[in-house]
Amino acid sequence: MSSEIRLLAEVLRCVPSGSVWHISSDSWASIKTAFGDLLFDNSGDWQVRITDENRSAVIQKAEEEEVAEKGIHMDIESEDQTTLFQSYDAMCGIIINAKFYNGLNPDNIPDDLEIGLG
């Protein structure tokens, strides 16, 4: 598993229930097939609401489909619209909310990724 996939899985494990994962519509053509009922579309980007009930399925799909390497631009916002995670250019640029970052398991934060704190 790549460093990017490992980090994204950790972020998805830790975001609060009700958070929304936005994936830019230019990411890859098979997103609708891969995520199916987990997706809803709004303003041209794909979105997944992460809940306690679907979290395991979302993480499994994200790992299987290698979304970290296919998602051109992604972000995750909490229900109160706090941006917890942002990535650009298939996770070449990563920004994580500093308070949220402190709650992540350091064992799942790869050393080879440059992560900015916001």
Side-chain angles (χ1 to χ4, degrees):
M1 181 181 312
S2 75
S3 297
E4 293 82 2
I5 294 169
R6 200 166 108 215
L7 176 62
L8 182 59
E10 175 64 12
V11 167
L12 293 170
R13 265 191 291 282
C14 295
V15 295
S17 185
S19 296
V20 176
W21 179 20
H22 303 95
I23 306 166
S24 64
S25 59
D26 61 348
S27 292
W28 83 100
S30 299
I31 188 168
K32 188 171 184 175
T33 306
F35 277 82
D37 291 342
L38 294 171
L39 289 173
F40 64 97
D41 191 2
N42 187 0
S43 303
D45 286 339
W46 296 107
Q47 298 183 30
V48 176
R49 186 170 308 282
I50 301 164
T51 64
D52 292 334
E53 293 77 24
N54 73 3
R55 187 181 308 272
S56 294
V58 170
I59 294 167
Q60 181 179 350
K61 281 293 181 191
E63 290 174 339
E64 287 173 2
E65 298 297 330
E66 300 177 338
V67 177
E69 296 171 2
K70 297 175 184 173
I72 305 301
H73 303 293
M74 298 184 287
D75 68 73
I76 300 175
E77 291 182 339
S78 65
E79 280 188 305
D80 68 2
Q81 298 183 337
T82 299
T83 301
L84 302 173
F85 169 85
Q86 296 174 289
S87 71
Y88 304 95
D89 300 326
M91 292 188 65
C92 287
I94 302 167
I95 301 170
I96 300 177
N97 175 287
K99 187 175 177 182
F100 175 70
Y101 180 86
N102 290 332
L104 298 177
N105 181 344
D107 293 337
N108 293 324
I109 302 172
D111 294 333
D112 60 335
L113 296 178
E114 289 188 35
I115 301 170
L117 300 180

